[in-house]
């Protein structure tokens, strides 16, 4: 099921990469806010994923929507079979930065003016609907691409987070069996090399097992004609406690039953616990009973999933509100009233200048952050295998300005 019912992310392992050292000791000298990517933790995830691929013969792709810091692709590339993209730009990034590996793309709807360029980069193209397959599939086939259709097995395995549920009623994602029966001609079916489903989010392999039953029930007659079946992402494979044995059983059983190759495309599992966001306390306030610390980072700008999901990120040395003597609400420095990271408890009051380290910040952050309020983008550092820090990228005023108008 879902980890800690979404609200609070498991934090025990989020700081494993620090090797027992304190954030002040390791990162005290860095300008904040900054993201820190942890090479050793990326490798650890890669080893777990490569083990699954080796034991089952499946292929595993990095879903770039979650993590696309391409300077680190050489670190994880040896463990993976390629990249998964959500459109032209990610497909190009995968082709350029993980060359010699597979490039898969799925998009809810492709654009005519981009499609020919997309064919230069992708080798597997998955369509969302029979009409999209009809529109672009023949051209893609002629270009020698492997063609897939995303199916909707109409099997919801997550509660309370419709924003992440592609099987919610009225979903636009994937083709239901009813839509298939109505629209899939023999000619269209013959274009297909594979089927794709993606229905999970941060889930364990029991949810996959349930989903596969629904896939077999609804599309079992089609699958023997396919060369591959893509299980999508949302498999929390690298999380401690994830049932890998059951995952491998699911993969093997699908491959044997329908005589095809299974693909997985985890995003989060590739970069789980492989990054941090360091910030400093700028001000400490008290409003009634509430103790507040204003930080030089922002949930809205630098960790948007905290507000979108919503969830409370792991924080080094902090516990649940009330567990330790001093409970503080951590807030961003934007003008948005709801720019709140969460309530945490500490063993001492927070003071101006304190360094705070948030965990599990490699995913859905740098590929998703923004400059709302003119907030500067955090610098990006790499914590390498020798525990040395390198600055990957520093951002400045022009990074904010250039997206908003003419470049002089």
């Amino acid at each position: 099921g879902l980890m800690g019912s979404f609200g609070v992310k498991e934090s025990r392992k989020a700081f494993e990469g620090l090797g027992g050292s304190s954030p002040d000791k390791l990162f005290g000298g860095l300008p904040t806010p900054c993201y820190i990517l942890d090479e050793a933790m990326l490798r650890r995830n890669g080893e777990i994923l490569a083990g699954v691929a080796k034991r089952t013969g499946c292929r595993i792709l990095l879903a770039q929507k979650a993590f696309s810091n391409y300077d680190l692709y050489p670190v994880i590339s040896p463990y993976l079979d390629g990249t998964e993209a959500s459109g032209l730009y990610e497909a190009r990034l995968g082709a350029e930065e993980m060359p010699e590996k597979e490039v898969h793309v799925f998009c809810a709807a492709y654009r005519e003016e981009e499609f020919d360029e997309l064919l230069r980069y992708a080798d597997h193209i998955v369509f969302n609907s029979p009409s999209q397959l009809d529109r672009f599939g023949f051209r893609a086939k002629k270009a020698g691409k492997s063609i897939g259709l995303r199916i909707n097995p109409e099997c919801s395995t997550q509660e309370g987070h419709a924003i992440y549920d592609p099987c919610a009623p009225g979903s636009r994602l994937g083709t239901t069996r009813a839509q298939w029966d109505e629209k899939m001609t023999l000619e269209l079916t013959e274009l297909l090399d594979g089927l794709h489903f993606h229905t999970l989010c941060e889930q364990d392999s029991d949810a996959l097992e349930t989903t596969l039953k629904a896939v077999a029930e609804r599309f079992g007659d089609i699958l023997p004609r396919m060369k591959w079946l893509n299980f999508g992402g949302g498999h929390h494979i690298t999380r401690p406690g994830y049932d890998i044995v059951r995952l491998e059983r699911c993969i093997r059983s699908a491959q044997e039953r329908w005589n095809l190759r299974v693909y997985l495309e985890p995003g989060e599992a590739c970069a789980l616990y492989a990054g941090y966001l360091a910030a400093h306390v700028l001000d400490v306030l008290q409003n009634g009973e509430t103790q507040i610390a204003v930080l030089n980072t922002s949930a809205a700008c630098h960790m948007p999933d905290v507000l979108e999901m919503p969830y409370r990120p792991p924080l080094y040395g902090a516990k649940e509100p009330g567990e330790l003597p001093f409970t503080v609400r951590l807030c961003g420095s934007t003008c948005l009233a709801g720019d709140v990271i969460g309530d945490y408890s500490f063993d001492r009051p927070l003071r101006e200048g304190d360094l705070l380290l948030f965990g599990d910040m490699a995913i859905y952050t740098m590929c998703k952050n923004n400059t709302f309020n003119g907030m500067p983008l955090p610098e990006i550092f790499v914590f390498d295998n020798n525990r040395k820090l390198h600055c990957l990228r520093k951002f400045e005023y022009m990074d904010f300005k250039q997206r908003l108008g003419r470049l002089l």
Side-chain angles (χ1 to χ4, degrees):
L2 291 169
M3 172 175 60
S5 75
F6 257 116
V8 180
K9 289 226 177 171
E10 134 97 82
S11 61
R12 235 173 353 150
K13 295 283 178 178
F15 302 100
E16 202 181 301
L18 305 189
S21 297
S22 77
D24 279 293
K25 190 175 163 208
L26 292 172
F27 308 133
L30 297 180
T32 65
C34 67
Y35 299 108
I36 302 148
L37 292 167
D38 188 326
E39 264 190 30
M41 289 302 280
L42 276 173
R43 267 204 183 83
R44 175 196 152 271
N45 292 335
E47 283 162 6
I48 294 172
L49 295 171
V52 171
K54 193 173 175 212
R55 289 186 297 271
T56 61
C58 79
R59 290 188 181 168
I60 299 184
L61 313 167
L62 164 70
Q64 296 179 99
K65 63 176 154 232
F67 180 80
S68 28
N69 296 96
Y70 51 87
D71 291 280
L72 281 297
Y73 284 11
V75 173
I76 49 173
S77 169
Y79 304 103
L80 300 169
D81 294 287
T83 53
E84 164 68 32
S86 309
L88 173 62
Y89 285 0
E90 281 185 354
R92 178 174 172 180
L93 188 70
E96 289 178 351
E97 300 297 335
M98 220 184 270
E100 315 308 313
K101 300 258 174 171
E102 296 181 26
V103 177
H104 293 232
V105 63
F106 162 80
C107 189
Y110 293 101
R111 293 160 58 164
E112 180 60 54
E113 68 274 21
E114 289 182 353
F115 200 75
D116 286 336
E117 194 186 342
L118 183 70
L119 292 175
R120 296 209 324 247
Y121 301 115
D123 42 65
H124 288 63
I125 301 184
V126 178
F127 297 97
N128 186 56
S129 66
S131 46
Q132 280 272 300
L133 178 64
D134 188 35
R135 173 160 217 198
F136 296 108
F138 297 96
R139 212 191 307 179
K141 196 77 174 176
K142 210 171 147 196
K145 307 302 171 185
S146 192
I147 310 293
L149 182 73
R150 176 163 172 173
I151 54 172
N152 176 355
E154 299 172 81
C155 169
S156 287
T157 54
Q158 26 185 315
E159 284 110 58
H161 276 81
I163 181 177
Y164 297 112
D165 186 2
C167 294
S171 169
R172 75 187 182 290
L173 295 167
T175 301
T176 63
R177 187 61 204 237
Q179 290 167 323
W180 176 293
D181 290 340
E182 190 191 335
K183 296 269 175 14
M184 285 295 285
T185 61
L186 182 64
E187 191 185 20
L188 286 180
T189 308
E190 279 173 353
L191 282 176
L192 293 180
D193 297 292
L195 296 181
H196 174 291
F197 65 86
H198 175 82
T199 67
L200 307 183
C201 178
E202 299 192 334
Q203 280 161 287
D204 210 316
S205 44
D206 55 346
L208 171 63
E209 201 168 55
T210 306
T211 302
L212 272 175
K213 287 193 183 106
V215 168
E217 211 172 287
R218 292 193 161 82
F219 295 93
D221 56 325
I222 318 275
L223 283 161
R225 288 178 264 167
M226 297 296 134
K227 297 190 186 107
W228 50 264
L229 174 61
N230 189 324
F231 286 8
H235 316 282
H236 234 185
I237 305 167
T238 51
R239 187 180 85 233
Y242 179 93
D243 187 348
I244 288 184
V245 173
R246 188 193 306 231
L247 168 70
E248 294 182 1
R249 205 166 57 227
C250 287
I251 294 168
R252 274 194 209 94
S253 106
Q255 292 187 150
E256 286 158 17
R257 181 172 181 182
W258 298 306
N259 189 28
L260 41 71
R261 183 188 296 283
V262 163
Y263 281 93
L264 299 175
E265 41 183 50
E268 195 154 327
C270 290
L272 195 70
Y273 308 145
Y276 317 98
L277 172 57
H280 275 103
V281 176
L282 298 179
D283 197 9
V284 177
L285 315 164
Q286 173 103 26
N287 182 351
E289 295 295 289
T290 310
Q291 190 73 37
I292 299 158
V294 181
L295 313 185
N296 62 358
T297 185
S298 154
C301 299
H302 301 158
M303 31 182 148
D305 273 15
V306 165
L307 301 186
E308 188 181 290
M309 212 170 189
Y311 83 99
R312 204 198 61 171
L315 175 60
Y316 185 90
K319 298 238 158 95
E320 295 296 310
E323 242 183 272
L324 293 172
F326 301 95
T327 294
V328 186
R329 177 161 299 166
L330 301 183
C331 302
S333 41
T334 68
C335 70
L336 174 70
D339 191 356
V340 175
I341 299 155
D343 293 3
Y344 300 83
S345 69
F346 300 86
D347 48 21
R348 66 164 177 82
L350 289 186
R351 299 187 269 270
E352 265 176 61
D354 281 345
L355 175 70
L356 297 178
L357 192 71
F358 296 95
D360 203 17
M361 284 288 158
I363 48 175
Y364 295 110
T365 49
M366 288 152 277
C367 54
K368 206 173 166 172
N369 60 14
N370 62 75
T371 55
F372 172 60
N373 267 207
M375 268 297 261
L377 294 168
E379 290 182 41
I380 303 173
F381 287 85
V382 174
F383 187 46
D384 73 14
N385 257 12
N386 308 313
R387 297 172 76 73
K388 295 265 184 297
L389 286 160
H390 312 272
C391 181
L392 260 195
R393 182 73 204 271
K394 190 175 171 18
F395 298 95
E396 61 223 353
Y397 174 66
M398 283 312 293
D399 294 294
F400 156 67
K401 185 178 179 183
Q402 68 188 4
R403 299 193 323 162
L404 297 170
R406 275 182 308 142
L407 282 176
L408 295 176

